[in-house]
Amino acid sequence: MAELADAQVIFTPSGRRGRVPAGTTILDAARGLGVDIDSVCGTRGICGRCAVVPAFGEFPKHGITSEPSHLSPFGDVEAAYRAEHGLADDRRLSCTARVLGDAVIDVPPESQVHRQVVRKDLDARPFQLDPVVRLHTVDVTPPDLATPTGDLGRLFDSLRAEWGIDGLRADLHVIRALQPALEKGSYRVTVAVHGGRDLIAIWPGFHDRAFGVAIDVGSTTIAGHLVDLTDGSILASAGVMNPQIRFGEDLMSRVSYVMMHDDGATALTEAVRKALDGLLATLVNRVGIKRAELLELAIVGNPIMHHLLLGIDPTPLGSAPFALAVDTALELPASELGLITHPGARVYVLPCIAGHVGADTAGVILAEEPHEATDLTLVVDVGTNAEIVLGNRDRLLAASSPTGPAFEGAQISSGQRAAPGAIERVRIDRDTLEPRFRVIGVEVWSDDPAFGAALGAAGTGVTGICGSGIIEVVAELYLAGVITADGVIDGSLAARTPRIVPDGRTFSYVLHEAGGAGPGSPRILVTQNDVRAIQLAKAALYAGVRLLMDQLATETVDEVRLAGAFGSQIDPLHAMVLGLIPDCDLSRVRAAGNAAGTGALIALLSGEARREIEGVVRRVEKIETAVEPRFQEHFVEAMALPHRTAPSPNLERVVTLPRRATAGPDDGAGPGAARRRRRPVPAATTTGDDR
Ligand code: FES
């Protein structure tokens, strides 16, 4: 029989092309040309991961004609796979279909190992899967008396021969499970290889399920996504409260608890691990899988959460020089954290950056990629501590600023966490000073006649103000002239509106009257102390940002991303009116969602991303706000709304700011004179009674 000629094969979308001997399987042709096609079963025709879509017709661009007869006929293996699992009419299994003539072959995303993962719902950038855990099915040579080698050695031999994997080492539990698996699978087994190096799991026969969880351990909430490691899809997301709250509302009070109690660190570690384990239980139950199917976890958290979860004493983080026990990424068995998973499951913990800038910030960087930007990009993750990253591809700086819990609704008289019934949006009429607002869980605004009914339908009253609501109400009160640039509620307006009411030596603004929207609706005031708490928080954030801007010798930033649950809810305009962030083109200020959690997700699914963030963290310049002498100076300047001295050209293009009484050409004293007259308010002595 005449020998078949070579054939030209072109793969899309990669565009890789080359000649292969006719009769070569499409998969072998692809591998020879460096085309990325997935496989678990190792060409046994049972995993379906290698499915491709041949394209037929004339391809003048490529100079070839691709015809059905240029591939081997649809075979028994493919027919069996189609009958059992379904295989679309236009698809072929590349491990069995052979190239007989010129062909154009499309590799669909789901058949690529390094496929793109796109998660619009998470505000996540598209990223490329680079699985850390890979499954491989192999047939192992049965033992015989003539070649008395161990089963593990023969398994390694098969993995080397079939998959080209060398230098493996096996967990002890895998060695224990090896012989039963070989026996049950008739010497066919599937193994999970972690990082191309560790044999962490074994199953008899063919097995193609592997799951992982990406976890963000926040000081308030622990959130997780359960992910199919084989394709990057998120199967369930859930969150639990961090039970450490009972030991202290904020991070430093938890460190104090550890310092004052002999078993404090143990108690806090046990609490967070128990909550994390509960979260895993919730996630696997939701998806209907077993804990033993969890093979990989990726975790982010601020430095104190990071240390407590790992069982490391966090007290050195409580005072200068704020020394981390470890600032590199960690990889450890999940069992070391007491988590119930597959016995071989590994945990990847992203690297902390500095004493106050943790693995959560590493996650934010991974998700938002400021280190890839050409423009100067500011990313702030606002919580009880604000983590701040500023820079671009040339330099990247990070710091943390102690904003306190005001942005989360704590320390605010009517403050509450974001939950149904909480006021989240506010507008104040500039003439009548009357408010209208929207609460979480209800679509219509409070001045809509349908508001009462909508509240009733939602089963809530107006219960308080959440972080985004307090930002908006303070900013709106400032724009309406109720609050001065110094943050003082102007009591003289009591003559104009009954909404300004005396409150000791200061005044409050009545945002909502008790019972006005049905039962469960208390009177909601914005007090002078509330305004002060917000000023202190926003000044701390701004001062931290300003320190980083000083380091880069810049007066402006090009782009702002607001990350975290709170950051994602706040309106950029109101954040800028308040002076929470520096003046910037408003169209370039956007929410980044839970960027820390997204970073954990990316790290869970990509070994390449792990290497990337480890490299970036090494070159991040860390600024310690607590010991920077200029922090207090910037803080004092930033107490004013939006700022005592910084110009707001972008903001003033879209909104009319009240004329500054403290400095300006019309105040009769010229710019700077009033500023010099006015004594700054030191943070330590600022109270609600300083009017
Ligand atoms: S490689 Fe598994 S079906 Fe082709």
Side-chain angles (χ1 to χ4, degrees), residues 27 38-50 93 95:
L27 185 62
D38 200 3
S39 165
V40 169
C41 74
T43 74
R44 289 171 177 81
I46 51 178
C47 73
R49 299 288 178 81
C50 67
L93 293 181
C95 63

Side-chain angles (χ1 to χ4, degrees), residues 580-645:
L580 197 72
I581 49 175
D583 188 71
C584 171
D585 180 349
L586 265 167
S587 68
R588 301 193 68 184
V589 182
R590 70 167 174 81
N594 176 13
T598 301
L601 177 72
I602 295 171
L604 176 71
L605 291 169
S606 170
E608 177 63 37
R610 295 180 186 188
R611 290 186 287 279
E612 176 188 349
I613 193 58
E614 288 166 19
V616 172
V617 163
R618 271 196 296 276
R619 66 178 175 87
V620 167
E621 299 168 49
K622 298 101 184 167
I623 308 299
E624 185 49 70
T625 52
V627 297
E628 280 284 340
R630 293 206 68 197
F631 182 81
Q632 186 67 8
E633 197 181 308
H634 285 316
F635 180 87
V636 169
E637 291 280 292
M639 280 291 286
L641 306 178
H643 190 273
R644 194 171 303 278
T645 52

Side-chain angles (χ1 to χ4, degrees), residues 675-686:
R675 202 157 61 231
R676 285 193 294 278
R677 278 203 310 273
R678 189 170 292 274
R679 294 248 321 276
V681 184
T685 60
T686 305

Side-chain angles (χ1 to χ4, degrees), residues 107 127 140 172 184 186 190 218 272 299 322 347 370 389 444 448 501 508 544 557 559 565 578 595 601 604-605 616:
V107 184
F127 61 95
V140 179
L172 180 58
K184 194 167 173 200
S186 304
T190 302
V272 69
I299 296 181
F322 313 104
V347 177
V389 176
V444 293
D448 191 309
V501 294
S508 296
V557 300
E559 179 118 10
L578 203 63
L601 177 72
L604 176 71
L605 291 169
V616 172

